[in-house]
Amino acid sequence: MSLSVANRVGRLIEVRVVPPVTMDEATGFMMDIVRLISAHSGKIVACTDLRAGTRTIDPDSIDFIAGIIRSENPRLERNALIVSAQAPTFTLQMERMVKASGAGPARRVFKTRGEAEAWLAEVLTDAEKARLRLFLDEQK
């Protein structure tokens, strides 16, 4: 299991999750994300890299995470969650979580890096776009 969250450039929040993730791990990690988002005065743009996630997540953890990210919806301009096309069950879980979060079109699940990158690029600065490419290159 691996969890990381960072804000290296502008308002771009970089999140990487490699399941399995326990409820305790999810709780601590979500609190880290909330602290990072709270440090920004305006809206944030997030990229959540879940491409290494081929295992399912405990349904209780999904409900818990959906509840926390729901509370951050007002601070969110966009969040792209990138999943592996080779993990259909995990993808369905992430789509369920996004729907349960109530973010509407501000939070979307993508099966390809290119589609996610293009969607986020519509609202990112050049420096944020460059950092997004580097972040996504870290996980091949």
Side-chain angles (χ1 to χ4, degrees):
M1 182 278 312
S2 172
L3 301 167
S4 67
V5 60
N7 172 227
R8 292 183 175 90
V9 175
R11 60 203 176 102
L12 177 65
I13 306 292
E14 307 165 13
V15 180
R16 182 165 287 122
V17 179
V18 180
V21 176
T22 68
M23 181 64 96
D24 287 343
E25 291 166 333
T27 302
F29 186 59
M30 291 309 297
M31 300 331 286
D32 290 344
I33 291 173
V34 169
R35 276 192 294 279
L36 196 58
I37 290 172
S38 296
H40 281 271
S41 58
K43 293 199 178 240
I44 58 99
V45 177
C47 183
T48 306
D49 188 351
L50 301 160
R51 291 177 289 171
T54 57
R55 304 167 101 183
T56 59
I57 295 179
D58 171 53
D60 291 336
S61 294
I62 289 176
D63 292 339
F64 173 77
I65 294 168
I68 290 179
I69 63 176
R70 186 179 308 112
S71 71
E72 297 303 317
N73 285 344
R75 305 286 316 282
L76 179 69
E77 183 168 349
R78 287 193 181 180
N79 180 10
L81 292 87
I82 309 172
V83 297
S84 169
Q86 282 71 47
T89 302
F90 181 75
T91 299
L92 287 172
Q93 284 187 308
M94 293 302 98
E95 289 170 345
R96 174 180 166 254
M97 184 185 70
V98 165
K99 185 175 181 182
S101 77
R107 187 174 280 120
R108 292 178 50 190
V109 175
F110 293 90
K111 294 178 186 163
T112 70
R113 169 190 172 157
E115 290 175 329
E117 218 171 339
W119 184 66
L120 291 176
E122 294 173 2
V123 298
L124 294 175
T125 66
D126 288 342
E128 291 165 340
K129 289 176 200 174
R131 179 57 212 166
L132 176 61
R133 279 190 298 278
L134 290 172
F135 169 67
L136 293 173
D137 285 346
E138 292 169 4
Q139 179 73 39
K140 296 243 179 187

